[in-house]
Amino acid sequence: MKRHYFSVAAISAAITLLVAGCSNNSTTPLDAPPVVEAPKNVIFFLGDGMGMTTMTAARIYSVGEDGELTMDTLPETAFVKTFSNDAQVTDSAPSMSAYMTGVKMNNEVIAMSSDTLAIDPVADANGNKLSNNCGTKNGTPATTLLELAKAKGLSAGVVTTTRVTHATPAATYSHICHRDLENDIAAAAVPGGAGYNNALGTTGLDVLMGGGKQFFVPVKDGGKRSDGRDLIAEMKAKNYAFASNSKEFNAIDGTKTDRLFGIFTSSHMSYDLDRDPALEPSLAEMTTKAMDVLSKNSKGYFLMVEGGRIDHALHETTAKKALQDTVAFDNAIKAAIAKAKLSDPDLKNTLIVVTADHDHTLVLNGYAKRTGKTAAGNPGVLGVVKNYVTGTIEKDLDGAPYSIIGFGNGENRTQGNRSSMISLDENTTSANTYHQESVVRVAAGSETHGGTDVFLGAIGKGADTFLGTIDNTKVFSLVKTAAGL
């Protein structure tokens, strides 16, 4: 056995160091101040109905074929499968709920267990189909990312261009068997009131902005509430700063506001093409103001931002409205990234996710020559197909021009031979209210969703975990992990 010898001096030095380490005068980390954890922020952007062909068309519309939208520059990307529990083609309720809860559910269902049945509302005392008919044993609530954030002490907000009670925003803060129960969904947002969602904690949502006043006020005041409650008054009583128009919105300093409630229209907010800035703030303005309010919390926040009217314009087959709303959505993404980088330059503590809940049937037709961006005198992608070699207008077998953008189904389908469309020109196809032609004719406003996978882009903390082709339920766990929820 090998023997080891230590000098008296070495042993003495070791004892001295040990005693010093136990001394009250030590300068080791035992006396260091506690580490203050940086806030963890999540901004989840949802372009409702923003399929990849819509994204492509919006890019060409805004910046040309070789340009880039902000969402095109996000460094991490994935494809997302969107089917629901009972349908190949989903609606917004279960698709957004899958993102928020990690649970597959049936079409029409908001943030509930997979076994929940979507039961249509019945008529209330005023004849509106808004009375709850879900039943007492019809599924259980599925916890949302927003609720997890509130449970961790983070702030939480919801911003949308639709009614705040519409399917996508509702899936963040409420639980119900049918998306059309918007009176009940509104009540879920009012802290302490009847029907309040207690999973939001005692304080509730810190920010809620969009349209949908009709579900917050009683029938006598022009709303649709049959219970006589004025939920706007109730929210004000809970110390929410309130805005009903741009002037009131602009007067609110988000950095000095703890809670913000904005309802700007009776139903959905206006399409961006039609929006009056004096009456309605833009999605970008609402997003950055929400960030001001939420960032006061040192623990961080969860913010959901929806560009909801993209979907509505696509249902109408009014492509120009859809593309402009997609650009407005992209502007909100750009503004949010810039604002987040002011306090978190490398986004080490901020995750920003951009995706869609489902596709639509919009297509880009023909071998069209490049058009460049839409501008005065150039309809761009909203024009008719022109030969990429000669530049002449392409025609179908009936001798009629056809537009670059079309739809798989929609309200505008020529009945019979298209020779009656021989005079179709770009002044017509590029108009704000033009309904692009479709293959299958359906009722006005009833163009359907599509079942194609959708794009997801991410930047910031945990963004590198989004890759490949994933199910929409997987997005929940990736966000949850990245934010430490």
Side-chain angles (χ1 to χ4, degrees):
M1 181 176 73
K2 187 175 181 180
R3 297 175 183 271
H4 297 275
Y5 298 94
F6 300 94
S7 69
V8 172
I11 293 172
S12 176
I15 292 172
T16 300
L17 286 171
L18 182 61
V19 171
C22 296
S23 167
N24 288 334
N25 295 322
S26 171
T27 58
T28 67
L30 290 174
D31 284 342
V35 176
V36 177
E37 193 171 345
K40 292 183 174 66
N41 306 318
V42 176
I43 308 176
F44 193 96
F45 281 95
L46 194 288
D48 202 310
M50 189 185 68
M52 285 185 277
T53 50
T54 299
M55 285 180 60
T56 302
R59 180 192 310 126
I60 300 170
Y61 169 80
S62 178
V63 291
E65 287 88 347
D66 55 0
E68 287 183 326
L69 297 173
T70 298
M71 64 182 96
D72 293 323
T73 68
L74 298 174
E76 309 296 341
T77 59
F79 297 117
V80 182
K81 296 183 283 186
T82 64
F83 64 93
S84 71
N85 191 51
D86 63 346
Q88 185 179 85
V89 177
T90 188
D91 81 279
S92 294
S95 52
M96 184 58 172
S97 294
Y99 287 144
M100 292 297 106
T101 69
V103 177
K104 282 279 185 189
M105 56 200 74
N106 296 327
N107 276 8
E108 315 291 348
V109 174
I110 299 285
M112 296 287 287
S113 55
S114 293
D115 60 343
T116 306
L117 300 177
I119 301 176
D120 290 342
V122 295
D124 61 18
N126 299 294
N128 296 313
K129 288 189 175 181
L130 291 168
S131 281
N132 193 319
N133 193 35
C134 291
T136 56
K137 296 182 179 180
N138 187 12
T140 55
T143 303
T144 72
L145 287 170
L146 188 149
E147 291 168 344
L148 291 172
K150 290 295 292 185
K152 282 278 190 177
L154 278 66
S155 291
V158 173
V159 171
T160 180
T161 53
T162 69
R163 299 189 294 264
V164 297
T165 51
H166 211 235
T168 296
T172 67
Y173 68 86
S174 68
H175 308 271
I176 205 151
C177 85
H178 201 288
R179 57 180 289 173
D180 288 348
L181 290 165
E182 294 188 61
N183 278 342
D184 291 30
I185 293 167
V190 184
Y196 174 60
N197 177 15
N198 290 313
L200 299 175
T202 57
T203 58
L205 295 167
D206 301 279
V207 173
L208 181 61
M209 285 192 285
K213 179 182 177 181
Q214 61 186 300
F215 298 109
F216 286 84
V217 295
V219 172
K220 68 180 181 64
D221 294 328
K224 290 187 176 180
R225 297 201 66 84
S226 58
D227 58 7
R229 292 174 65 186
D230 183 340
L231 301 189
I232 293 177
E234 292 182 30
M235 292 286 271
K236 289 179 180 179
K238 294 294 181 179
N239 297 318
Y240 281 89
F242 178 69
S244 63
N245 55 52
S246 289
K247 182 178 180 180
E248 293 172 355
F249 172 85
N250 292 332
I252 294 171
D253 184 344
T255 64
K256 298 177 181 178
T257 302
D258 294 326
R259 307 165 99 185
L260 177 56
F261 179 43
I263 295 289
F264 303 101
T265 50
S266 177
S267 186
H268 303 300
M269 294 181 71
S270 299
Y271 288 118
D272 199 60
L273 273 178
D274 304 326
R275 181 177 63 87
D276 182 348
L279 299 176
E280 302 174 47
S282 68
L283 186 60
E285 290 168 335
M286 290 192 290
T287 299
T288 53
K289 180 121 2 181
M291 292 171 70
D292 281 336
V293 176
L294 299 174
S295 62
K296 294 178 65 180
N297 188 333
S298 61
K299 293 183 178 181
Y301 61 81
F302 179 92
L303 172 63
M304 193 289 293
V305 179
E306 183 198 19
R309 303 231 62 196
I310 301 167
D311 175 73
H312 298 164
L314 292 169
H315 280 304
E316 291 181 1
T317 63
T318 47
K320 188 171 184 179
K321 291 180 180 179
L323 303 189
Q324 181 59 40
D325 263 67
T326 304
V327 172
F329 177 68
D330 194 70
N331 289 339
I333 299 166
K334 180 178 182 180
I337 293 174
K339 192 170 188 66
K341 285 185 174 181
L342 294 177
S343 57
D344 186 9
D346 298 319
L347 300 181
K348 292 181 178 179
N349 297 294
T350 303
L351 170 64
I352 297 176
V353 176
V354 177
T355 190
D357 50 353
H358 54 75
D359 189 19
H360 271 266
T361 69
L362 183 147
V363 294
L364 299 181
N365 287 316
Y367 294 104
K369 66 173 291 186
R370 287 174 56 162
T371 65
K373 69 178 183 179
T374 299
N378 179 27
V381 73
L382 295 170
V384 298
V385 175
K386 295 177 182 177
N387 186 281
Y388 65 88
V389 176
T390 65
T392 57
I393 295 174
E394 294 279 18
K395 296 181 180 180
D396 67 4
L397 285 178
D398 296 323
Y402 56 97
S403 60
I404 296 172
I405 295 177
F407 285 85
N409 60 71
E411 63 190 78
N412 181 16
R413 189 191 73 179
T414 303
Q415 298 299 95
N417 193 298
R418 284 191 76 251
S419 59
S420 61
M421 303 292 290
I422 197 167
S423 61
L424 182 70
D425 62 22
E426 295 184 324
N427 288 329
T428 299
T429 62
S430 63
N432 289 5
T433 57
Y434 178 68
H435 298 268
Q436 272 71 20
E437 287 183 88
S438 61
V439 178
V440 177
R441 190 163 68 105
V442 297
S446 297
E447 180 270 348
T448 70
H449 296 170
T452 308
D453 296 351
V454 296
F455 166 86
L456 182 147
I459 187 172
K461 179 180 173 62
D464 58 349
T465 62
F466 295 89
L467 72 165
T469 298
I470 58 178
D471 191 76
N472 53 9
T473 56
K474 179 68 174 177
V475 174
F476 166 81
S477 58
L478 294 176
V479 174
K480 182 176 180 287
T481 299
L485 301 177

